[in-house]
Amino acid sequence: VKKQALNLSILFAVWEVEPFLKVGGLGEVARSLPRALKSMGVDIRLIVPHYRALNVLGQRKKKIAEFTVHYGTKKLSITIHKIYFLNTDIAVYLIGNKEYFDIPSAETFVVFALAVVPLPRSMARREPGAASGWSHGRCLARRRCSSSPTSSS
């Protein structure tokens, strides 16, 4: 039976992913899910915090973006580097900020969320070949998502 490709693009934001960094069960799920979705024809990409302890397994990181997010009264410099997932063509984006991501704290997750929210739209513009159909994160709460970016509601 021939598998039909799904017209779906997912930017999977996750705190940890094995084998780059694994603390608990989330790392195991984050390792298995992208390959399963890719085998179903989904355009899947991962985005993870660029912790100091993260092991890129000898891959060369490619810097693809730098931008600023506001956190309270602070303007934080955020970088995005790209590597690939376990001998596949699945992109893994590493979100970096030395102050908050070198050693994780409760604030790490707030800064990570602030950096990730605008990315589905901006990555489609910055990253050649990125799916223009990435929808805003609010789409996840709806039953169906359109194949074009949603407007703010």
Side-chain angles (χ1 to χ4, degrees), residues 1-151:
V1 175
K2 186 176 179 182
K3 292 183 182 179
Q4 182 178 0
L6 298 176
N7 187 19
L8 185 62
S9 298
I10 297 173
L11 183 59
F12 183 28
V14 64
W15 311 119
E16 63 182 87
V17 61
E18 186 181 29
F20 305 117
L21 180 73
K22 180 184 172 286
V23 177
L26 177 61
E28 295 169 0
V29 171
R31 177 186 176 124
S32 302
L33 186 60
R35 284 196 269 194
L37 290 170
K38 181 76 172 180
S39 74
M40 296 168 54
V42 173
D43 176 12
I44 177 86
R45 297 155 196 244
L46 288 85
I47 189 160
V48 298
H50 192 179
Y51 302 118
R52 185 179 354 167
L54 189 129
N55 182 352
V56 297
L57 305 173
Q59 292 187 61
R60 187 169 180 207
K61 299 178 291 186
K62 178 183 176 187
K63 185 175 179 179
I64 61 167
E66 187 168 358
F67 59 97
T68 301
V69 296
H70 295 273
Y71 180 45
T73 59
K74 296 181 180 181
K75 284 186 176 182
L76 304 177
S77 176
I78 303 292
T79 58
I80 302 178
H81 287 85
K82 180 179 174 182
I83 59 173
Y84 289 92
F85 187 71
L86 302 173
N87 301 317
T88 70
D89 63 348
I90 299 171
V92 177
Y93 302 108
L94 308 174
I95 297 287
N97 173 278
K98 290 199 180 294
E99 182 179 354
Y100 290 97
F101 295 161
D102 266 10
I103 300 174
S105 69
E107 290 182 299
T108 297
F109 306 111
V110 174
V111 173
F112 181 65
L114 290 170
V116 167
V117 166
L119 289 181
R121 287 189 184 148
S122 65
M123 290 305 292
R125 290 189 304 267
R126 295 174 194 228
E127 178 75 348
S132 61
W134 277 342
S135 297
H136 191 276
R138 284 181 248 183
C139 175
L140 297 175
R142 299 180 185 159
R143 285 189 172 181
R144 291 189 291 174
C145 299
S146 66
S147 60
S148 61
T150 60
S151 59

